[in-house]
Amino acid sequence: PISMCFGVATTLGSGVSADELLRRADLTMYQVKATGRDGVALYDKAVDEQVQENLTLLQHLQLALRVGGLKLNYQPMVDLESGLPIGAEALVRLETPDGETIPPDAFVPLAERTGQILALERWVMREGLDTLRRWQQQGLEHRLAINVSPTHLERGSLVEDLLSHRDRSGVDLRGLTVEVTETVLLQLQDRASTVLGRLREAGVRIALDDFGTGYSSLAWLSRIPIDEVKIDRSYITQMVEDPRCLVLIRGFVGLFRELGLRVVAEGIETEHQRQLLLAMNCPIGQGWLFGKPLPSGKLPWNHAAPPR
Ligand code: C2E
Ligand code: MG
Ligand code: MG
């Protein structure tokens, strides 16, 4: 099939040269192209400036997507009571040719603005599901969580990609959790609930990530299909010093549990925090106290004997 992507730039009021005009149209066209769909976009100066600033980073990212260089680390999620792992969250990193490791906060937003996010998250999904399938083959019941951006939910083919991976590899999607942020709920309410609903039909669980950092109302509780809520690290960090924060967390945990949602506390770094969370019946935790993000081969449960 023929596809068409247009980038539009104008000379209106800017007095730019013909070369510059073409460069702008070209850049804009590539933004459309990178979304993986037909479409048209108008040149955006703000995007251009960010692209220029981040040109090197963008080149690293493009290279990594083409020839490899993305790495997936896994951070354990544990049963707070026993401290035993119940799964892990996949967190992406970018390794540059000179051996530097770049954290996701530095390049994921750029990937979103420039349309690379679909390719990036498709890679994360495939890599993550391969790992999940290995766990399942070893007889482990650990869950894997992946982060999915609003753009991916809106424009990607997440459900189709997951199902085709499952048909090819035999991975059981009931072991997968997809983490979305409150932004998703704000930006694309109807479309999001459709995609999230289809994910759930496929057996995937949905988690709301970084809960408490956005401005979204709690209306989603009745509207959007959600299985799990992850309380943001900022609350856990302040909990010990700020009694009001403690009251808030206790309220969240009680509310979510009564609604039948799984509750995860993010960013637990101290035993004291763990004890406070246990006292308020928070069942699951994640944080440096239990383990930093690690390559899959270095996970504690991977030392188990390989399948025969
Ligand atoms: P997140 O999904 O909320 O992931 C948790 C982040 O908190 C991770 O940072 C993790 O390393 C960090 N963390 C966990 N426990 C602790 C702790 O005890 N103390 C401290 N100080 N930090 C802790 P990381 O790996 O840098 O990832 C940052 C964010 O990047 C993630 O936040 C997630 O929003 C995003 N991200 C990572 N991979 C992807 C991806 O594949 N797609 C998308 N859209 N975003 C991703
Ligand atoms: Mg997450
Ligand atoms: Mg989070």
Side-chain angles (χ1 to χ4, degrees):
I2 297 171
S3 76
M4 278 192 262
C5 298
F6 296 94
V8 181
T10 70
T11 51
L12 286 174
S14 60
V16 296
S17 68
D19 278 352
E20 173 61 11
L21 190 63
L22 278 176
R23 188 194 66 80
R24 292 183 180 184
D26 204 42
L27 174 90
T28 312
M29 187 269 287
Y30 273 103
Q31 281 158 23
V32 179
K33 222 175 150 165
T35 63
R37 285 203 318 190
D38 295 353
V40 52
L42 193 60
Y43 170 76
D44 182 339
K45 188 151 186 276
V47 173
D48 193 2
E49 278 166 4
Q50 275 162 346
V51 168
Q52 297 307 321
E53 270 172 34
N54 294 298
L55 213 53
T56 325
L57 189 55
L58 196 60
Q59 280 161 354
H60 285 319
L61 183 60
Q62 280 163 343
L63 188 71
L65 284 169
R66 250 199 344 265
V67 302
L70 291 173
K71 291 279 156 344
L72 211 49
N73 279 359
Y74 301 82
Q75 184 177 35
M77 293 164 85
V78 305
D79 175 280
L80 269 186
E81 180 95 56
S82 66
L84 292 174
I86 55 167
E89 174 176 6
L91 296 157
V92 69
R93 276 99 181 82
L94 176 58
E95 265 173 22
T96 67
D98 41 353
E100 193 195 346
T101 299
I102 305 174
D105 285 335
F107 66 89
V108 166
L110 180 70
E112 287 212 52
R113 284 196 302 272
T114 56
Q116 311 284 325
I117 192 74
L118 291 183
L120 171 75
E121 290 191 340
R122 255 187 222 128
W123 180 87
V124 169
M125 185 211 81
R126 280 197 303 268
E127 185 78 13
L129 285 185
D130 286 345
T131 302
L132 178 62
R133 187 180 51 90
R134 277 200 301 278
W135 296 347
Q136 290 173 347
Q137 282 173 341
Q138 291 172 28
L140 293 165
E141 283 179 10
H142 293 351
R143 302 191 64 76
L144 178 82
I146 57 172
N147 294 281
V148 168
S149 66
T151 314
H152 196 174
L153 275 191
E154 190 180 24
R155 304 232 181 93
S157 45
L158 182 60
V159 182
E160 293 75 11
D161 293 347
L162 287 172
L163 292 177
S164 80
H165 194 294
R166 179 199 61 190
D167 295 343
R168 206 172 52 243
S169 71
V171 68
D172 186 346
L173 293 178
R174 286 173 302 182
L176 183 71
T177 302
V178 161
E179 297 190 2
V180 298
T181 56
E182 284 171 292
T183 339
V184 167
L185 310 183
L186 288 175
Q187 281 179 5
L188 28 95
Q189 307 176 349
D190 289 346
R191 163 82 179 158
S193 50
T194 310
V195 177
L196 297 183
R198 289 185 61 207
L199 284 171
R200 279 175 117 206
E201 278 164 30
V204 177
R205 281 196 195 152
I206 311 296
L208 186 65
D209 203 356
D210 304 340
F211 172 78
T213 54
Y215 294 99
S216 93
S217 73
L218 289 180
W220 56 265
L221 283 172
S222 58
R223 214 178 45 224
I224 304 268
I226 294 265
D227 306 279
E228 177 178 309
V229 180
K230 300 183 80 174
I231 300 177
D232 190 66
R233 177 161 65 90
S234 53
Y235 288 84
I236 311 304
T237 311
Q238 285 174 54
M239 180 172 63
V240 176
E241 291 85 48
D242 187 349
R244 288 170 309 175
C245 200
L246 197 74
V247 174
L248 279 176
I249 301 174
R250 188 179 299 128
F252 295 153
V253 174
L255 174 69
F256 296 142
R257 288 197 64 150
E258 269 201 63
L259 285 163
L261 301 168
R262 278 161 52 105
V263 188
V264 181
E266 295 192 272
I268 305 176
E269 293 184 356
T270 67
E271 181 58 28
H272 189 186
Q273 291 167 340
R274 182 176 90 103
Q275 290 303 334
L276 289 173
L277 287 160
L278 266 179
M280 51 178 96
N281 288 320
C282 178
I284 308 165
Q286 182 179 350
W288 292 354
L289 180 65
F290 313 106
K292 291 197 176 179
L294 292 170
S296 72
K298 294 220 168 102
L299 286 167
W301 58 85
N302 247 18
H303 298 322
R308 266 151 297 175

